[in-house]
Amino acid sequence: MTSTPPGTGGITVATEGDAGASAEAPKRRSAAQRDALPPSRLESLDAFRGLTIAAMLVVNNPGTWSAIHAPLRHAAWHGWTPTDLIFPYFLFIVGVAMSLSFAKRLARGDDRRDLLRHAVRRGVVLIALGLALHAFPWVTTDYGRLRLPGVLQRIGLAYVLAVPAALWLGTRGRAMVAAALLLGYWALLTLVPVPGGAAGVLEPGRDLGAWLDRAVFGTDHLWSQTRTWDPEGLLGTLPAVASILLGLLVGDWLRGRARTASTSARLAAAGALATAAGLLWGLVFPINKPLWTSSYALFAAGMAAMTLAACHFVIDVRGLRRWAVPFVAFGVNALAAFFLSGIAARVLNMVPAPDGTGALKPWLHRELFAGWLSPANASLAFALTFTAIWVAIMLALYRKGWSLRV
């Protein structure tokens, strides 16, 4: 899930001075030195990315899916919970980072066509990793029923589609494309009849996007819990691209601003306006994460801008960095954290428990937490422990100056 600049298309290791700079470096910088840092690097953005990754691991890895606190569940359909903000936060962060990295690369003379080729290669790698994660453990997988859409697949595709706007359009052009995508998607879902059905139907499996996914993928390659629609389907990629472009606009704005409390406040105010606009739009076009409705994309981007503003003020303005080091470590190794933790979670459900009663994960949950905590708290404690282990792993890589990315 990394949103670092496009590299050579393969997995690289960044040494000190790049994304994996020494964790001790922020402690040695004076305030003047921090203000003089190149605008292509924001520690608050790395921390925001890491906080988002940590939240993703917590909600994706409960001790048991039968006992989860309400804020850690997705909304059943229309509406939202804090969990529903995690994925659009990732895409917003991709956009902000894209603005910062492309500006730096273009300023040093990199060719736009080369950057586009790198971006396409990177998008293909992300899609391949997403499919590999779905197919794990590979040898025993029934590929006739392999889910084709997914989180990494959507990020890879949306990233590639957003790159031309980042490379060849100015701020006004990018804003116009984002608006066209959001309004166009609203029109498609509300005005275009579903073949064999009606227009404006926003019920599970009956909307235009679900029809398109069944037509392209067939029911065997959609989300296993429904087989009639997929929360990361093709049509929903359009507003997901807009989510990236909204982050791109924020990155454009931040590149020209001093790291001051005024900058943080103005970013928070803009985020509040976008959030309010999304909520108002949601009165007629409901906020819905599985459909990635336009109101949802706008609302989530506003919330992301306010969260980034808070991180910007605390880290980049006030210089309070020590607390954020574990999250920065997560942020600069975002793809490794997402992919490897996903593999590990599956392994825990495959390895037999020591007492032969089932898989290792439910045994660990039962033995370590369920005996002394309430069901929901035991499930949360397992998720927090799982996440803490991955924080420690990523922090160790970070302190060595290693960053794995595509």
Side-chain angles (χ1 to χ4, degrees), residues 55 59-60 65 68-89 279 286-290 292 296 299-301 303-304 307:
V59 302
N60 281 0
W65 290 102
I68 305 174
H69 290 291
L72 303 180
R73 294 182 182 273
H74 288 291
W77 189 243
H78 293 326
W80 66 280
T81 72
T83 296
D84 293 310
L85 297 177
I86 294 173
F87 195 3
Y89 273 23
L279 289 171
I287 290 174
N288 184 299
K289 189 264 181 188
W292 210 283
Y296 167 72
F299 165 76
M303 294 288 286
T307 306

Side-chain angles (χ1 to χ4, degrees), residues 69-110:
H69 290 291
L72 303 180
R73 294 182 182 273
H74 288 291
W77 189 243
H78 293 326
W80 66 280
T81 72
T83 296
D84 293 310
L85 297 177
I86 294 173
F87 195 3
Y89 273 23
F90 281 131
L91 294 182
F92 178 89
I93 291 166
V94 167
V96 178
M98 185 188 298
S99 173
L100 302 178
S101 64
F102 281 175
K104 178 180 179 180
R105 287 167 177 258
L106 292 172
R108 74 187 186 193
D110 287 9

